Amino acid sequence: MAETKSILLVGVGGQGTILASKILSAGLVESGYDVKMSEIHGMAQRGGSVSTQVRYGDNVDSPIIGRGTADILVSFETMEALRWLDYLKPEGKIVVNDYEIPSAPILMGKEDYPEGVIDIIKSKANTSVINAAEIAEELGNLKVMNVVLFGALVEAMDLKDIDWEKAIRDNVKERFIDINIKAFNRGKDAV
């Protein structure tokens, strides 16, 4: 019997966290897991925080991940990892994108982006740092940063026995399939 696993994906509006969660959920369902997904948009269209919670196993009662219960936290933006850190289990893992998106108060000069965020995160949890933006730029499209991080998630959670290429093909527009599969593979290799 597969115990229920909890995956928390967090980022800023427009980063593709929801698409990554849909690909994740589709692959897990196709593999026979019971999957529950919940998404919270906040002020996503204004660059605000976005979180998606995916829980899977033999029988999942609720899509909601409580504080201290996530097996893995995947953060598409550096500061979001710190914001959601208390949702991670003590033995949980973090995959964090070394990518900063300044919030409105920072852009207006009212606050500074905190320094040393990645060092703080590393001191508190098992952390893999990925420069998904650099990988996505090498592939020619910054928008595949989310699928780079998705690949890193698959590797970190050891979910290699699932046909992720099919899940990608089923969830992205046809003209973006090849670059997204490349992004997924580069993300797996980056962990």
Side-chain angles (χ1 to χ4, degrees):
M1 186 172 215
E3 70 174 285
T4 299
K5 295 286 186 183
S6 300
I7 300 171
L8 180 59
L9 295 96
V10 299
V12 172
Q15 284 195 287
T17 54
I18 293 169
L19 175 61
S21 298
K22 285 180 179 174
I23 295 168
L24 173 64
S25 296
L28 291 167
V29 166
E30 185 85 12
S31 291
Y33 289 106
D34 182 21
V35 179
K36 302 285 189 292
M37 180 176 125
S38 171
E39 47 190 77
I40 300 168
H41 298 268
M43 293 292 285
Q45 63 274 46
R46 298 182 189 260
S49 188
V50 175
S51 70
T52 309
Q53 303 178 6
V54 177
R55 301 188 70 229
Y56 71 96
D58 287 334
N59 185 15
V60 180
D61 296 326
S62 168
I64 304 303
I65 297 172
R67 291 184 195 278
T69 63
D71 292 285
I72 190 163
L73 168 63
V74 181
S75 183
F76 289 50
E77 194 277 340
T78 307
M79 188 64 201
E80 291 299 313
L82 197 55
R83 186 181 320 240
W84 289 91
L85 191 61
D86 60 340
Y87 281 79
L88 192 67
K89 284 181 176 177
E91 69 279 8
K93 297 177 184 175
I94 297 178
V95 172
V96 61
N97 189 10
D98 189 1
Y99 189 74
E100 297 176 0
I101 299 176
S103 64
I106 293 168
L107 290 171
M108 294 186 321
K110 294 183 178 178
E111 294 178 14
D112 292 325
Y113 197 97
E115 292 191 21
V117 173
I118 288 180
D119 291 334
I120 294 167
I121 297 163
K122 282 180 165 181
S123 74
K124 297 185 181 290
N126 177 355
T127 305
S128 295
V129 180
I130 309 290
N131 192 330
E134 186 177 283
I135 293 168
E137 284 176 355
E138 286 172 12
L139 293 170
N141 188 340
L142 193 58
K143 290 190 175 188
V144 299
M145 194 166 34
N146 60 336
V147 181
V148 172
L149 289 160
F150 171 68
L153 162 65
V154 165
E155 189 68 26
M157 288 291 289
D158 198 27
L159 291 168
K160 300 176 203 119
D161 56 337
I162 294 172
D163 187 353
W164 294 115
E165 288 192 17
K166 180 185 184 314
I168 291 168
R169 287 179 197 284
D170 292 348
N171 285 281
V172 301
K173 291 181 179 154
E174 190 173 339
R175 69 180 190 264
F176 298 117
I177 290 172
D178 290 341
I179 193 169
N180 277 285
I181 289 172
K182 287 176 187 171
F184 170 72
N185 289 318
R186 290 286 304 276
K188 285 192 328 183
D189 293 343
V191 174

